[in-house]
Amino acid sequence: GLPNFADAMVNGTLLDARNVLAVHPDLGTLRILPYAPKSAVMLGTLHDNMSTGDLSPLCTRGLLIRLLETAKNDFGIAFSVGEELEFCLFRRVGDKFEPVDHSLFASSNTLNEQEKFISDLYAQLKHQDIDVETIHTESASGQLEVVLDYQLDAIKLADNVVLARETIRACAKQHDMIALFLPKINATQAGNGMHLHLSFRDLQSHEPTENAFPHQTIRGAMSLKAESFTEGLLQHLPALLSLSIPTMNSFRRVGQGCWTGHSVGWAIEDKEAPLRVCIDLASGKATNVEMKLSDSTANIYLELAAILASGLDGILCNAKLRPTFVSGSTVGDELNKLPTSLSESLECLRGDAYLLDILGPELSTAYIAVREAEIDNSSDLTLEDEVQIAIQRA
């Protein structure tokens, strides 16, 4: 029930200070913190502390766990997830903070000048058993991207995202910098996303350990279940944005030419499509779908539960995949238009009975109320105001 601007309960959440929830630790998440070696962290789930001790319907990590168990036990589907985490490095110059450089996409300047930070960051992530595929520069000033390895367990991936963000912030401070995950920092530059790569395994097939996303015989094509999974994402996409890009600043990052997509659609290897089907260069197979409309202001557990549930809905309904999106085309834009604000996306969530059922009445009511309070609080903020607040909190 707490918003991002104050330590105060929000009216409309139907929550109060009574019946405080208890955290049940997950011992498998215990990590000694390399940036604070006398301290450790452990993640867990929220439970009723007054009567039954049951998992709370307000626990988003618990929601994702339940969703994954239902998909596996009832429908024979197991999800695999990867993630790309973008952030910008800032350093104090006089009485203000500025980007550590003004390089462009794939410039070696950031890699060379921040080699010590990158090396230390990689070591600290590995120390916590967080598998890293690569760390590379992106296109905004001082921007880096940490690509986390694909995980066969979506909970482990979500936990890794939480731990990785904490580690990035702490490691940056050790090097006299701050790391900003704010989705949009500069109006004329690319923003910070948290792209998700999604695929699944069909546990009822003859090859239950294999990726079920690619077509078995047609090069570059998706399986029928993968097409239905993708269509499920598309059908719920307007509502999903309220969970995956859930702030006013998030929507500053979205638009034509912003590498995010701006209408409901999919395409093969098109970075302007909100859902991009990825092709493996070696095999030519369609390995997964990337959701680009996601950023670090989202609760990764809540977001991932809703996204995977949407794909599962498509599979269970045998949804037929619509035609591919074409970059630069305006055909059908009005019909397939995405929400252009958090308010619009929350209205879409209110109208999505399936996702409201997945979240449950307690969580959906509290979530919508909190986000609406944040809209009221930030409606007059400029981009510069948002950046300054992010710097103060970094």
Side-chain angles (χ1 to χ4, degrees), residues 360-379:
E362 296 97 334
L363 181 56
S364 60
T365 297
Y367 182 85
I368 292 172
V370 166
R371 292 304 186 195
E372 288 183 332
E374 292 171 353
I375 291 171
D376 291 341
N377 180 73
S378 60
S379 59

Side-chain angles (χ1 to χ4, degrees), residues 196-218:
L196 295 168
H197 290 258
L198 313 162
S199 63
F200 57 89
R201 306 179 304 285
D202 186 349
L203 304 180
Q204 299 173 338
S205 71
H206 295 301
E207 298 178 328
T209 62
E210 297 297 316
N211 184 3
F213 199 88
H215 196 284
Q216 292 302 303
T217 58
I218 303 176

Side-chain angles (χ1 to χ4, degrees), residues 103-108 110-111 135-139 143-145:
S103 58
L104 300 176
F105 176 74
S107 169
S108 61
T110 309
L111 295 176
I135 301 176
H136 64 86
T137 55
E138 270 290 350
S139 58
Q143 189 178 40
L144 290 170
E145 177 177 287

Side-chain angles (χ1 to χ4, degrees), residues 182 185 187 252 381-391:
L182 189 70
I185 294 175
R252 296 187 191 274
L381 295 180
T382 65
L383 175 58
E384 291 72 22
D385 293 333
E386 294 168 342
V387 172
Q388 287 306 308
I389 291 171
I391 288 173

